Amino acid sequence: MKPSDRVRINVAIVGGKGCMHGRARGFDDRSLADMIGNGFISDGDFASMPSNVFVHHNAAIKFAGRETQDGRALLRYDLKSPSFRSGWHVRLRNASGIVGVKGWFLADANTLDLVRFVFAAQDLPPFSPETPP
């Protein structure tokens, strides 16, 4: 499987309750679905996925090495969560399914603050457009 489109969205968690999304500069009041359009879109996982990994321990985490970006020392970790632990549901039209998650994150080597968190669905269900018939 190869990704056909990739969209980069900035996310801000507002008051620990909701997310605001934006592209390039600033944030937008529109929903994520309105900003992106078609395809697999998930709204709200930006707060719940890190919580699922760091609070509920629903992923295997493996140290992957040290990196430096813009003079900042970082620690990289890979993560993987099978579908039976991820709790991540995807929907497309009237079909839905639970998928696994694979990703990685960077933490500041001095403060251990989360710098970047990247994740993607794996083991997509049969109704996925990317899954061969």
Side-chain angles (χ1 to χ4, degrees):
M1 180 174 67
K2 295 180 182 178
S4 58
D5 291 315
R6 186 170 292 198
V7 179
R8 185 173 180 154
I9 299 290
N10 296 317
V11 180
I13 310 296
V14 182
K17 296 180 182 177
C19 296
M20 288 185 69
H21 308 95
R23 287 183 162 179
R25 296 182 186 185
F27 289 90
D28 200 315
D29 289 335
R30 293 180 297 160
S31 73
L32 187 59
D34 288 340
M35 291 176 69
I36 304 301
N38 296 320
F40 276 116
I41 299 171
S42 179
D43 195 355
D45 289 321
F46 303 103
S48 63
M49 191 60 70
S51 176
N52 215 7
V53 171
F54 301 122
V55 176
H56 302 294
H57 308 288
N58 285 332
I61 299 172
K62 182 180 177 185
F63 180 67
R66 295 180 171 270
E67 296 183 15
T68 303
Q69 291 182 8
D70 299 322
R72 186 179 191 182
L74 302 170
L75 305 172
R76 181 184 169 121
Y77 295 86
D78 293 332
L79 65 96
K80 189 171 184 179
S81 181
S83 59
F84 69 89
R85 293 205 63 175
S86 76
W88 198 16
H89 294 79
V90 295
R91 289 180 176 76
L92 180 64
R93 296 181 193 88
N94 294 327
S96 67
I98 300 174
V99 296
V101 176
K102 186 176 181 181
W104 55 272
F105 63 90
L106 296 174
D108 184 286
N110 297 313
T111 65
L112 299 181
D113 288 340
L114 185 63
V115 174
R116 187 163 186 204
F117 190 92
V118 175
F119 59 93
Q122 65 176 12
D123 305 323
L124 294 172
F127 62 79
S128 168
E130 291 85 13
T131 304

